[in-house]
């Protein structure tokens, strides 16, 4: 083997710690950013929170890496403040370089795609007649969501409070408390009574009598648990949950013969295989229950109004509250109508470098000053990266509002096709940057609060040669279903033909995919009983 020397010239981009932090902060949600700020405040003594407005930190590596004791007049102690103007973003080049290098890191997830999103409706189509639907909000029926979340009582606390009114022996009271603590969030008892008993007594054969005694105690406690509010709590499966609610309705009924007949028929319906009820097979259910079809339909309608998840209203609603990162407001009217985009001041932390510690470091050049200097630079970079994060969010939001102006004027039916590449090319950023910015970031609009990814959607061809947004097509499908005759609901093929009449080429399978993303049931399940 012959040895030799050779000279090679190559280029590569290294991800510095500052650049890695910028990437990480950009993709964090509002809650995750708040946690990151709290952690940094605990770890870095040079960071502090301020409520005062002050000039922004200057961007730039040179500014961040300047030693603290060289210039006592620099703006390192300026608190973090975000400009409210739409064109006040100043870190596009840095952001672009950051994302070009992100691909070379090898450990970043794939943020590609067109940014399409699905509209997920809630599952509140169940539940009107179950006795447990009442709440403690008062007679006005209006309550602020935040106040409701703060005053929300958990299911276990609600059941424990009811159990206090029962006069039970210490053993039965302990068994009831154990079962209450074993319920899941929906109010179901997932584990069987023997399994719960074995978990307490162990698997030793000598403890078989103890297991049998525990099963007996749990059986008595389960009857007590299922007698508490909300009706249906403590059920082992959906059939038992519905049956418990029907029994509660039966006991609370005023004695009307017709209502009692419907409840009895509903109990028989619940005793049949759940697949028949899911398919709304009226004929087979009528034959199995030995009832006429009218009574069976009334019974099925009653079952559909019951609550399949008794613990639903006790789930902490605070986690469903979305705090927007960007607020869009309409300004002017008519031809002068425009939309102002601004960052939500409630989600922007105001940070600054601790001036006392920074001044002390400038005057101290002894042992350990190098490590403290590094911590000071970390604090400066953290402030700059947060500023850059919000500036990038603001720039992207402005570009989205400009592209989707028709949505803010006419609603989701006017949404136009938009992909990440268009915004990336317009702002001079990498496509992965746009993906990070639009993930878990929300915009408050006159039509509600939406994730930024909601404004991106693929295109469907039209007869005129143009394109229609998939979001607009979903809204059109939802409108068609909302105005259909419930006795003759529209099939996917019929919806596809109606879209063609509107000039939108949308196949039946695509209609079915969009309908499922909207949580709209098939035509046979939407048919009125």
């Amino acid at each position: 083997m012959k040895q030799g020397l050779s000279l090679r010239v190559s280029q590569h981009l290294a991800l510095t710690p500052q650049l890695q932090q910028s990437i990480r902060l950009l993709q964090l949600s509002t809650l995750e950013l708040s946690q990151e700020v709290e952690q940094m405040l605990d770890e870095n003594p040079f960071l502090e929170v301020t409520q005062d407005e002050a000039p922004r930190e200057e961007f730039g590596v040179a500014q961040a890496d300047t030693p603290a004791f060289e210039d006592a007049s620099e703006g390192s102690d300026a608190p973090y403040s975000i400009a409210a103007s739409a064109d006040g973003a100043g870190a596009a080049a840095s952001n672009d370089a950051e994302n070009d290098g992100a691909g070379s890191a090898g450990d970043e997830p794939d943020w590609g795609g067109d940014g399409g999103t699905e509209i997920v409706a809630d599952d509140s189509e169940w539940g009107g007649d179950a006795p447990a639907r009442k709440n403690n909000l008062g007679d006005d029926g209006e309550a602020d969501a935040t106040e409701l979340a703060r005053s929300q009582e958990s299911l276990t606390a609600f059941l424990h409070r009811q159990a206090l009114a029962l006069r039970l022996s210490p053993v039965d009271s302990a068994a009831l408390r154990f079962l209450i603590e074993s319920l899941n969030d929906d109010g179901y008892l997932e584990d069987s009574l023997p399994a719960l008993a074995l978990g307490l007594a162990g698997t030793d054969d000598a403890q078989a009598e103890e297991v049998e005694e525990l099963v007996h105690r749990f059986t008595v406690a389960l009857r007590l648990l299922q007698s508490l509010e909300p009706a249906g709590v403590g059920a082992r499966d959906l059939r038992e949950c519905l049956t418990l609610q029907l029994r509660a309705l039966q006991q609370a009924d005023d004695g009307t013969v017709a209502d009692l007949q419907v409840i009895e028929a509903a109990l028989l319906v619940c005793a049949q295989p759940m697949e028949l009820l899911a398919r709304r097979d009226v004929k087979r259910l009528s034959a199995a229950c030995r009832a006429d079809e009218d009574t069976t339909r009334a019974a099925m309608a009653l079952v559909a109004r019951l609550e399949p998840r008794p613990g639903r209203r006790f789930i902490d609603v605070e986690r469903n509250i979305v705090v927007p990162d960007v607020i869009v407001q309409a300004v002017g009217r008519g031809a002068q109508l425009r939309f102002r985009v601004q960052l939500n001041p409630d989600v922007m932390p105001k940070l600054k470098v601790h001036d006392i510690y920074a001044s002390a470091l400038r005057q101290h050049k002894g042992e350990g000053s190098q490590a403290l200097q590094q911590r000071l630079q970390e604090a400066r970079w953290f402030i700059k990266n947060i500023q850059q994060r919000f500036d990038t969010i603001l720039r992207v939001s402005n570009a989205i509002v400009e592209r989707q102006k028709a949505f803010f004027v006419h609603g989701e039916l006017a949404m136009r096709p938009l992909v990440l590449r268009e915004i990336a090319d317009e702002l001079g950023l990498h496509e992965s940057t746009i993906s990070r910015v639009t993930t878990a970031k929300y915009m408050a609009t006159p039509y509600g609060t939406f994730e930024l990814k909601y404004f991106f959607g693929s295109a469907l061809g039209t007869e005129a040669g143009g394109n229609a947004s998939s979001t607009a097509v979903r809204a059109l499908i939802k409108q068609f279903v909302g105005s259909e005759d419930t006795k003759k609901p529209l099939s996917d093929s019929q919806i596809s033909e109606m879209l063609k009449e509107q000039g939108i080429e949308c196949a039946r399978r695509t209609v079915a995919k969009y309908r499922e993303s909207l949580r709209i049931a098939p035509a046979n399940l939407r048919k009125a009983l």
Side-chain angles (χ1 to χ4, degrees):
M1 181 188 300
K2 184 178 179 180
Q3 295 182 347
L5 296 176
S6 62
L7 183 65
R8 181 186 305 173
V9 178
S10 64
Q11 292 181 341
H12 69 280
L13 181 63
L15 286 176
T16 63
Q18 294 85 3
L19 201 54
Q20 294 177 11
Q21 185 185 71
S22 177
I23 296 173
R24 184 163 50 85
L25 291 179
L26 188 62
Q27 66 191 27
L28 294 180
S29 65
T30 300
L31 179 60
E32 292 169 338
L33 177 65
S34 177
Q35 295 173 348
E36 185 78 12
V37 170
E38 291 295 333
Q39 181 179 354
M40 187 60 69
L41 287 171
D42 292 338
E43 295 177 353
N44 197 315
F46 290 97
L47 274 179
E48 68 172 341
V49 180
T50 179
Q51 300 298 328
D52 300 328
E53 295 294 338
R56 293 164 54 88
E57 284 277 356
E58 295 295 334
F59 284 116
V61 178
Q63 199 57 26
D65 293 336
T66 302
F69 41 77
E70 287 186 3
D71 185 6
S73 62
E74 64 179 339
S76 64
D77 57 346
Y80 162 55
S81 176
I82 294 296
S85 60
D87 51 1
S94 175
N95 226 342
D96 192 28
E98 155 248 72
N99 288 284
D100 288 336
S104 63
D107 56 352
E108 286 291 327
D110 184 11
W111 293 92
D114 62 356
T117 185
E118 295 182 354
I119 303 174
V120 181
D122 60 20
D123 54 349
S124 60
E125 67 272 10
W126 290 74
D129 289 352
R133 299 290 292 179
K134 298 179 181 180
N135 53 36
N136 299 322
L137 297 180
D139 297 332
D140 53 1
E142 298 292 335
D144 179 71
T146 306
E147 294 299 326
L148 177 63
R150 291 173 180 171
S151 61
Q152 189 79 3
E153 185 179 26
S154 66
L155 176 62
T156 54
F158 182 67
L159 293 173
H160 283 314
R161 184 160 52 84
Q162 294 181 71
L164 293 176
L166 302 177
R167 295 184 178 181
L168 303 176
S169 64
V171 176
D172 290 335
S173 179
L176 179 57
R177 286 197 303 270
F178 184 81
L179 291 185
I180 291 175
E181 295 294 336
S182 301
L183 297 176
N184 62 14
D185 291 339
D186 293 332
Y188 284 84
L189 188 64
E190 294 178 333
D191 299 324
S192 64
L193 298 184
L196 293 174
L198 284 173
L200 287 179
T203 57
D204 193 351
D205 294 338
Q207 297 176 335
E209 295 183 359
E210 183 179 354
V211 171
E212 184 178 354
E213 174 66 18
L214 285 173
V215 170
H216 172 70
R217 295 292 183 181
F218 285 156
T219 302
V220 175
L222 181 61
R223 295 196 189 98
L224 294 172
L225 174 60
Q226 293 177 348
S227 66
L228 302 178
E229 291 287 340
V233 70
R236 273 72 62 86
D237 51 35
L238 178 61
R239 185 196 310 276
E240 186 177 14
C241 178
L242 299 176
T243 301
L244 290 172
Q245 294 181 60
L246 289 172
R247 295 293 185 192
L249 286 174
Q250 196 175 39
Q251 295 176 2
D253 194 85
D254 56 3
T256 305
V257 177
D259 293 342
L260 290 175
Q261 289 179 348
V262 172
I263 295 175
E264 290 291 342
L267 288 170
L268 293 175
V269 167
C270 290
Q272 306 305 318
M274 289 286 105
E275 292 78 8
L276 298 180
L277 183 61
R279 294 199 305 265
R280 297 191 177 188
D281 196 336
V282 179
K283 292 185 178 180
R284 292 186 61 181
L285 286 174
S286 299
C289 298
R290 296 182 181 180
D292 58 87
E293 293 189 2
D294 292 339
T295 304
T296 303
R297 287 192 178 92
M300 293 170 64
L302 175 59
V303 172
R305 293 194 297 269
L306 299 177
E307 174 58 81
R309 298 165 56 193
R312 186 206 303 261
R313 69 182 177 95
F314 295 93
I315 297 177
D316 188 6
V317 298
E318 190 171 8
R319 63 187 180 189
N320 297 324
I321 299 175
V322 174
V323 179
D325 301 85
V326 182
I327 300 174
V328 179
Q329 295 177 330
V331 179
R333 292 184 179 180
Q336 302 297 325
L337 179 64
R338 61 186 182 88
F339 294 93
R340 181 175 61 192
V341 183
Q342 60 183 5
L343 294 167
N344 185 3
D346 294 336
V347 302
M348 295 186 297
K350 293 182 176 65
L351 302 176
K352 75 170 185 179
V353 174
H354 202 295
D355 52 357
I356 298 179
Y357 292 166
S359 299
L361 182 59
R362 293 188 190 102
Q363 300 172 6
H364 177 69
K365 299 181 181 179
E367 184 180 355
S369 61
Q370 187 65 29
L372 293 176
Q373 171 67 26
Q374 183 178 359
R375 300 296 289 179
L376 178 58
Q377 292 176 359
E378 290 177 2
R380 291 178 182 171
W381 269 108
F382 187 72
I383 294 174
K384 290 175 176 61
N385 286 333
I386 290 182
Q387 291 175 351
Q388 179 176 311
R389 174 188 186 272
F390 283 102
D391 285 340
T392 307
I393 291 175
L394 185 61
R395 293 182 63 204
V396 172
S397 301
N398 271 292
I400 290 174
V401 171
E402 185 65 27
R403 293 262 180 163
Q404 299 289 8
K405 188 175 181 180
F407 164 82
F408 294 95
V409 176
H410 304 290
E412 58 185 355
L413 288 174
M415 188 81 78
R416 57 156 292 181
L418 183 65
V419 293
L420 299 176
R421 172 60 61 184
E422 296 182 45
I423 302 295
D425 293 342
E426 179 180 343
L427 300 180
L429 302 176
H430 196 273
E431 190 173 349
S432 61
T433 301
I434 309 301
S435 178
R436 289 183 176 94
V437 170
T438 56
T439 301
K441 316 296 188 304
Y442 294 88
M443 176 185 292
T445 72
Y447 294 97
T449 301
F450 303 94
E451 188 180 13
L452 294 184
K453 277 192 179 295
Y454 171 76
F455 298 96
F456 295 83
S458 56
L460 281 78
T462 62
E463 292 180 355
N467 292 322
S469 171
S470 59
T471 305
V473 174
R474 287 188 181 95
L476 202 54
I477 292 174
K478 187 177 181 180
Q479 188 180 80
F480 288 158
V481 173
S483 59
E484 70 183 0
D485 183 3
T486 55
K487 294 183 179 180
K488 294 181 180 180
L490 298 171
S491 64
D492 294 340
S493 299
Q494 290 174 320
I495 295 177
S496 177
E497 293 297 327
M498 294 174 69
L499 290 174
K500 288 181 180 179
E501 293 176 1
Q502 300 287 333
I504 301 174
E505 297 293 336
C506 189
R508 182 194 61 81
R509 288 180 296 179
T510 306
V511 171
K513 182 180 71 172
Y514 289 167
R515 176 182 53 75
E516 291 174 358
S517 70
L518 292 170
R519 298 289 183 89
I520 298 176
N524 62 324
L525 298 182
R526 299 199 309 270
K527 187 175 182 180
L529 294 172

